[in-house]
Amino acid sequence: MSTLVIADHNKGELAGSTLSVIAAAKAIGGDIDVLVAGKDIGGVAEQAAKADGVNKVLAADNDAYGHDLAENLSLLIAEIGKGYSHLMASAGSVGKDTMPRVAAMLDVAQVSDIMGVQSEDTFVRPIYAGNAIATVQSSDSVKVITVRTTSFDPVAAEGGSASVESVDSAHDAGLSEFVSEELAESDRPDLAAADVVISGGRGMQNGDNFKMLESVADVLGAAIGASRAAVDAGFVPNDMQVGQTGKIVAPNLYIAVGISGAIQHLAGMGDSKFIVAINKDEDAPIFQVADYGLVADLFDAVPQLEEELKKVV
Amino acid sequence: MKVLVAVKRVIDYNVKVRVKPDNTGVDLSNVKMAMNPFCEIAVEEAVRLKEKGVATEIVAVTIGPKVSQEQLRTALALGADRAIQVETDEDVQSLDAAKMLKAVVDKEEPNLVIMGKQSIDTDNNQTGQMLAQLAGMPQGTFASEVEVEGEKVKVTREIDGGLMTVSLNLPAVVTTDLRLNEPRYASLPNIMKAKKKPLETVSPADLGVDVAPRLKTLKVEEPQPRQPGIKVESVEELVDKLKNEAKVI
Ligand SMILES: Cc1cc2nc3c(=O)[nH]c(=O)nc-3n(C[C@H](O)[C@H](O)[C@H](O)COP(=O)(O)OP(=O)(O)OC[C@H]3O[C@@H](n4cnc5c(N)ncnc54)[C@H](O)[C@@H]3O)c2cc1C
Ligand SMILES: Nc1ncnc2c1ncn2[C@@H]1O[C@H](COP(=O)(O)O)[C@@H](O)[C@H]1O
């Protein structure tokens, strides 16, 4: 038994999500190798080699993998993945895009978004927006898996000393081309990995008012999220959406401001350790999951919150 | 050009699901069913392409039990020209769905396939990518903008860090994200007209696909309930509790 973990990385850094996927691979057992694919990823491969529990890092440095195009990456993973019993990636946008192609190529099912490992072939995953939890068993010879990273505590980033081998394989399927990208620039912690998240919903009324949340986030070192309604209305960009069909977060503290608490939103933040809700409607469903609920107008409460936090943090 | 749209019948997104007491699944008896919301967005996008004169024919396809014809009729009422039902009472997993859709693609030879990014029941987010692979097509997943330009389609995708635009050779598979469009409602006259549009039924065997589930569901449970929380009276009290009780700040 052995697992190939597909690393996430951006701007030359290994993403923390990879450490959680390695943790999930450890729960399965067997040797763990990590594949780092991309352009100029030597540094990422070195970082992956230091992660706890890694046996070997395979580095595929090639233009063809420079923009994470699934058509190309999936060919690489299927080739390098030969001989492994498990192929695992995070359930981030690259893993979701690429792994089903790999599964189809190998003629096996994919187990999406696992939140638990029961044995080498049995996994726990949420269905129906997390309103039900399924335990599924795979009968395929190779298990293709994406991992809900918030459900697995990351392995240590340092301490390992795996070897790095370069992989000399360039798959360009010739089907797709990168045109451009528009990435959000932010000095804040990564939403999916932050200890504290403060999110705004339709109640924020416009994008400008999110500045109030930014001020609170500055005090707490928090990441900022949003409901679908706030993204659809154009208050904030799409990468801030938390929920069933957005990002999954599980911080120590989640503060929902002007968010009603639809099941699709709860699906993305319901595993947070502490949940605070600020809403002027005392019957808003968000209060059913909030550890601390404050019935108040957010335009009064949020500036006050900033002041009070400054006194104690 | 011809556009194929895959639509799936799922529980209505407003319904609060209940896990069956015997833990074999969720209770779907007497609950409202509907077209998967992402598939509605897929149909809407196809209809808009037709309205722009880019698409000439829209074929809607579903795989499921007889009653899923309701969702095909909805697609026809929204503007699809004809529909294909692959009728089966089996639990169709994503890989099987993709294989059947591949067989339909081989027969229909569409220039573009539009699907949802995710079913809101299984939350799989797989079928479009699997179909693309099986059919040897490129894919534009999680699309928030689709523009057909000659022999290519330009797709803007919602990714973790923001947006990414790719150019794909046609034929291609596109999977929809929430911001692609806002689906219209079917008008009464169009619902009436849809009843007369052609709807063909085939079986998985006709398509040469053997429905063989690879994943076995051992049990389905309720999620862990959260401890009930409290209401605080003021911001001061909130901050005090966060600091001294929860100890998270
Ligand atoms: C297929 C599908 C996928 C979806 N995926 C997601 C997802 O991933 N994430 C997600 O979030 N949603 C998702 N949704 C949408 C979800 O169903 C809800 O529509 C959405 O979460 C509502 O956002 P909201 O709470 O901001 O808005 P609303 O429900 O409109 O709530 C606004 C809240 O703000 C409060 N408020 C207003 N003004 C003030 C004020 N001055 N002070 C205090 N409170 C105030 C109101 O009392 C209300 O409770 C999805 C829906 C579908 C169909
Ligand atoms: N049984 C089915 N019939 C038709 N389309 C399907 C079926 N299952 C999945 N799809 C399509 O694939 C998309 C993604 O589904 P999934 O991979 O199951 O999350 C859906 O939005 C549909 O467009």
Side-chain angles (χ1 to χ4, degrees):
Chain A
M1 211 166 54
S2 56
T3 298
L4 182 68
V5 167
I6 320 305
D8 284 332
H9 54 91
N10 55 55
K11 298 195 190 102
E13 297 280 328
L14 184 74
S17 54
T18 305
L19 302 174
S20 291
V21 180
I22 295 171
K26 265 189 152 173
I28 292 170
D31 276 351
I32 301 170
D33 293 350
V34 175
L35 172 65
V36 181
K39 184 69 201 138
D40 299 329
I41 39 80
V44 179
E46 293 299 329
Q47 286 171 28
K50 292 196 195 116
D52 178 42
V54 177
N55 173 55
K56 182 168 74 181
V57 175
L58 300 156
D61 196 334
N62 196 284
D63 281 333
Y65 312 127
H67 294 288
D68 300 325
L69 294 175
E71 296 80 4
N72 302 351
L73 268 185
S74 56
L75 289 170
L76 171 72
I77 296 167
E79 182 200 323
I80 303 298
K82 280 203 186 87
Y84 291 93
S85 56
H86 295 74
L87 307 178
M88 299 174 88
S90 80
S93 53
V94 177
K96 284 181 189 164
D97 192 34
T98 309
M99 297 307 270
R101 279 190 90 102
V102 175
M105 226 179 293
L106 302 176
D107 193 29
V108 300
Q110 171 175 299
V111 189
S112 294
D113 209 20
I114 64 162
M115 52 194 289
V117 172
Q118 287 208 333
S119 72
E120 60 180 276
D121 65 2
T122 304
F123 310 96
V124 180
R125 61 178 304 266
I127 53 176
Y128 294 90
N131 286 304
I133 308 296
T135 303
V136 297
Q137 186 175 33
S138 160
S139 58
D140 284 315
S141 56
V142 180
K143 277 85 177 161
V144 174
I145 294 169
T146 63
V147 177
R148 174 170 288 210
T149 52
T150 53
S151 299
F152 295 89
D153 286 333
V155 299
E158 302 281 335
S161 57
S163 59
V164 179
E165 275 175 29
S166 70
V167 173
D168 200 19
S169 128
H171 290 283
D172 187 346
L175 294 169
S176 55
E177 261 173 76
F178 170 82
V179 175
S180 61
E181 68 194 351
E182 238 176 272
L183 299 183
E185 288 297 328
S186 165
D187 298 333
R188 296 188 191 285
D190 176 28
L191 179 58
D195 276 339
V196 182
V197 173
I198 180 163
S199 291
R202 199 195 308 271
M204 297 303 295
Q205 291 180 5
N206 58 46
D208 243 12
N209 289 334
F210 266 76
K211 292 209 179 89
M212 295 194 304
L213 303 188
E214 286 171 23
S215 305
V216 175
D218 287 341
V219 183
L220 293 172
I224 301 182
S227 70
R228 171 190 175 180
V231 177
D232 282 4
F235 302 171
V236 291
N238 63 277
D239 57 293
M240 286 167 65
Q241 179 181 316
V242 170
Q244 178 188 15
T245 62
K247 289 212 170 99
I248 307 297
V249 304
N252 284 327
L253 174 60
Y254 187 88
I255 308 176
V257 181
I259 291 178
S260 61
I263 51 170
Q264 293 85 6
H265 189 77
L266 303 184
M269 44 64 79
D271 286 335
S272 304
K273 263 213 194 84
F274 278 89
I275 297 174
V276 168
I278 300 176
N279 196 303
K280 67 178 179 190
D281 172 9
E282 63 175 335
D283 295 323
I286 190 79
F287 288 124
Q288 289 164 22
V289 300
D291 298 284
Y292 302 131
L294 178 65
V295 181
D297 190 311
L298 70 92
F299 294 98
D300 301 326
V302 175
Q304 268 185 48
L305 179 63
E306 183 192 342
E307 289 315 308
E308 290 299 318
L309 285 171
K310 276 184 179 155
K311 291 182 199 163
V312 298
V313 176
Chain B
M1 68 179 217
K2 191 196 260 191
V3 179
L4 188 77
V5 192
V7 302
K8 186 178 176 190
R9 176 185 175 88
V10 297
I11 196 165
D12 184 272
Y13 79 95
N14 280 311
V15 174
K16 172 105 179 74
V17 303
R18 275 205 189 81
V19 172
K20 286 189 198 160
D22 65 0
N23 293 113
T24 55
V26 304
D27 193 353
L28 292 179
S29 50
N30 299 318
V31 302
K32 189 172 170 216
M33 302 295 281
M35 189 190 294
N36 185 41
F38 288 102
C39 301
E40 289 180 343
I41 299 173
V43 173
E44 176 67 31
E45 196 61 19
V47 173
R48 290 188 189 187
L49 286 172
K50 196 171 174 199
E51 287 168 348
K52 277 195 249 170
V54 176
T56 48
E57 188 185 22
I58 303 171
V59 182
V61 50
T62 196
I63 304 155
K66 191 152 195 85
V67 283
S68 53
Q69 284 188 10
E70 286 169 26
Q71 280 61 49
L72 287 178
R73 290 291 170 201
T74 305
L76 293 168
L78 290 168
D81 297 295
R82 58 190 177 88
I84 300 170
Q85 182 192 28
V86 184
E87 193 181 328
T88 170
D89 290 325
E90 296 290 321
D91 159 38
V92 178
Q93 299 185 347
S94 291
L95 182 64
D96 288 330
K99 285 182 179 175
M100 290 187 231
L101 292 170
K102 156 75 164 62
V104 173
V105 163
D106 284 346
K107 183 158 166 280
E108 294 287 335
E109 301 186 330
N111 306 80
L112 186 63
V113 184
I114 313 182
M115 309 170 61
K117 80 163 178 181
Q118 171 175 347
S119 311
I120 61 161
D121 50 2
T122 62
D123 283 331
N124 264 349
N125 198 329
Q126 306 175 352
T127 311
Q129 298 87 317
M130 286 178 162
L131 170 63
Q133 172 58 39
L134 296 174
M137 293 185 196
Q139 65 192 40
T141 52
F142 329 142
S144 64
E145 226 179 296
V146 173
E147 223 177 304
V148 176
E149 298 175 332
E151 292 302 297
K152 304 209 176 211
V153 58
K154 207 163 90 178
V155 180
T156 301
R157 310 177 47 231
E158 296 199 357
I159 59 167
D160 284 347
L163 295 171
M164 172 183 189
T165 304
V166 291
S167 169
L168 313 174
N169 296 352
L170 290 173
V173 173
V174 166
T175 76
T176 62
D177 215 321
L178 296 168
R179 259 66 63 178
L180 183 57
N181 60 49
E182 235 179 274
R184 70 194 68 188
Y185 294 97
S187 68
L188 198 57
N190 284 344
I191 293 172
M192 300 311 291
K193 267 192 246 161
K195 293 187 176 154
K196 299 206 186 73
K197 289 188 180 175
L199 192 159
E200 174 195 352
T201 300
V202 299
S203 71
D206 294 338
L207 299 175
V209 180
D210 160 34
V211 186
R214 312 296 187 82
L215 296 176
K216 192 166 144 201
T217 299
L218 302 181
K219 64 178 174 200
V220 174
E221 296 162 294
E222 299 272 354
Q224 291 280 345
R226 282 189 82 89
Q227 296 296 324
I230 56 158
K231 292 250 170 74
V232 294
E233 292 305 319
S234 66
V235 172
E236 287 84 355
E237 187 188 347
L238 172 62
V239 171
D240 177 66
K241 289 235 182 310
L242 287 175
K243 175 123 188 122
N244 300 312
E245 199 176 82
K247 301 189 167 57
V248 284
I249 56 172

